[in-house]
Amino acid sequence: MREAFVCILAIAALFFTNPLAAQQQEEQKSPEEMAIIEAEKLEKELGLTGSQLFFVDSIMRANFTGLSDDMEALRGRGSQDLDSYTTTREKWIQKTIDAFKLVLDDQQYIKYLKYLGKGKEYKKGKDGKYYLKEDLKKQKK
C-alpha cells in the first residue's frame, strides 16, 4: 500500500507507452480521478486535516495531469526510450514530494516518504514517531 502512488505513476507510464493505449483510454481513469482516489488514500494513511486534504488533492490533480500531459507528449513524439518515461515520472514524483513538504507536518511528511518506499534514513522510535536513524543511535548511547 505504501507504494501505491509510485504504482499509479508506473501504471500511467506504462499506459502511455502501450500501443493499445487509444483503445484502452476509454476504460482508464482520468488523471483527475486517479488523483482523487490517491488523495483519499493519503487522507487515511497520513491523518490529513480538511485543509491539508484540499491542498493534497489540488497538488495531486495538478501533478497527475502534468504527468499525463508529459507522457502523452513523449508518446506523441514516438519516443521508445524507457529512460525518458522513467525520468519524466521521477520528475513528477519529486514535484509532488516537494509540494507536500510545504503542506504536511514533519511526521506526515516522513510517513509519506515511507509510503512511497523512500525515507529509508528514518526509523520509528519507541514513541511511535519517526526519527533519523543516526539520531536514534545517539539517543541509545
Side-chain angles (χ1 to χ4, degrees), residues 82-96:
L82 186 57
D83 287 340
S84 296
Y85 290 94
T86 302
T87 300
T88 300
R89 180 177 53 84
E90 288 298 321
K91 173 185 88 171
W92 285 102
I93 289 171
Q94 191 59 51
K95 283 183 177 210
T96 302

Side-chain angles (χ1 to χ4, degrees), residues 25 27 52 80:
Q25 190 171 9
E27 300 170 11
Q52 285 176 318
Q80 300 283 326

Side-chain angles (χ1 to χ4, degrees), residues 21-92:
Q23 181 181 357
Q24 294 174 346
Q25 190 171 9
E26 293 175 19
E27 300 170 11
Q28 292 290 334
K29 290 183 175 19
S30 71
E32 293 83 8
E33 290 169 324
M34 290 191 304
I36 291 167
I37 292 167
E38 188 63 19
E40 289 172 353
K41 286 180 188 175
L42 290 174
E43 177 184 23
K44 293 176 186 139
E45 186 75 25
L46 304 177
L48 300 176
T49 65
S51 60
Q52 285 176 318
L53 178 59
F54 172 80
F55 286 115
V56 164
D57 180 67
S58 298
I59 291 164
M60 298 294 280
R61 286 178 193 234
N63 289 356
F64 272 50
T65 300
L67 171 65
S68 176
D69 292 346
D70 283 359
M71 292 294 186
E72 184 63 33
L74 284 172
R75 193 178 69 74
R77 290 192 301 263
S79 177
Q80 300 283 326
D81 180 25
L82 186 57
D83 287 340
S84 296
Y85 290 94
T86 302
T87 300
T88 300
R89 180 177 53 84
E90 288 298 321
K91 173 185 88 171
W92 285 102

